[in-house]
Amino acid sequence: RAAARRPAATRLAASRGWSEFVAPSYNGEYATPPTPGATQHPPSSSEATSTPPVETPHVAPQTAFSDPVATELALLRINSLFYSAFRNGDFERLAATLHPDDAVSVIHPGIPPLYGRKAVLQSWRSVMRAPPQIWPSEARVVQIHENVAWLHCFETLEGARGVRLAATNIFKRDRDGYWRMVMHQAGAC
């Protein structure tokens, strides 16, 4: 009965043994970045010719509506890749998870919003000089609407007892159909 209450993507991940998507507790916390090439379906011809800048989940636009579970898994995976790059201080991988357009923003805890790719990347470069060990948990895709989706999760700062942030991450498909982050906001909860 408990398994039936889990989100469809979590049930699918568990049934296929994709433990890299969620921790054994199935609360949305990511253990390790997903294995490259661990896709639900073989790539389409458009996927085979399009090369992402980093290992990035890809659900071609034409399958977005026919396979919502694969789309949700792709969103959870790009979210996981974002936090993995953040935690490991890998600026290039983090930058690759961001949408290439200038219409991106970030709201770091305690500072005003930053707008535009240059300002956002500059802020992440600064934060990543001493990357905090932040672990996401309870990630939940709230809405998928055409080429835009958002999810909420909690962020726990390793070694800082009692520090927990709530985060909203918004993703948009780029021109090749890859999900990329357009907005990240985190704040105390």
Side-chain angles (χ1 to χ4, degrees):
R1 290 183 196 184
R5 289 192 299 261
R6 289 188 245 158
T10 302
R11 290 194 308 272
L12 178 66
S15 71
R16 301 233 172 135
W18 294 344
S19 60
E20 65 268 18
F21 284 103
V22 289
S25 64
Y26 299 105
N27 67 357
E29 183 174 320
Y30 304 102
T32 59
T35 306
T39 57
Q40 180 177 352
H41 302 287
S44 69
S45 59
S46 65
E47 290 174 336
T49 60
S50 180
T51 305
V54 293
E55 66 177 81
T56 306
H58 179 63
V59 179
Q62 66 271 19
T63 64
F65 307 106
S66 62
D67 197 347
V69 172
T71 301
E72 187 172 343
L73 284 171
L75 289 162
L76 292 171
R77 184 167 178 214
I78 191 68
N79 194 63
S80 177
L81 290 170
F82 165 78
Y83 281 103
S84 176
F86 182 17
R87 189 172 43 255
N88 292 313
D90 189 338
F91 177 78
E92 295 304 318
R93 283 188 65 179
L94 184 132
T97 66
L98 298 179
H99 202 280
D101 290 347
D102 198 43
V104 296
S105 64
V106 66
I107 304 174
H108 296 294
I111 66 168
L114 298 170
Y115 304 98
R117 187 168 171 83
K118 183 177 178 181
V120 168
L121 288 174
Q122 186 176 19
S123 76
W124 282 115
R125 189 177 297 277
S126 177
V127 168
M128 293 177 78
R129 287 187 187 125
Q133 296 301 294
I134 289 185
W135 296 88
S137 64
E138 301 176 49
R140 172 171 276 172
V141 176
V142 177
Q143 181 71 42
I144 302 168
H145 181 71
E146 296 180 4
N147 291 324
V148 176
W150 60 94
L151 65 79
H152 295 298
C153 64
F154 292 102
E155 298 176 348
T156 303
L157 182 59
E158 189 175 292
R161 190 175 171 140
V163 175
R164 191 171 189 205
L165 305 173
T168 301
N169 295 323
I170 301 176
F171 301 90
K172 180 181 173 186
R173 289 184 192 273
D174 66 14
R175 65 186 165 158
D176 295 322
Y178 293 94
W179 289 107
R180 302 284 191 225
M181 186 178 287
V182 292
M183 197 279 290
H184 169 78
Q185 176 180 3
C189 62

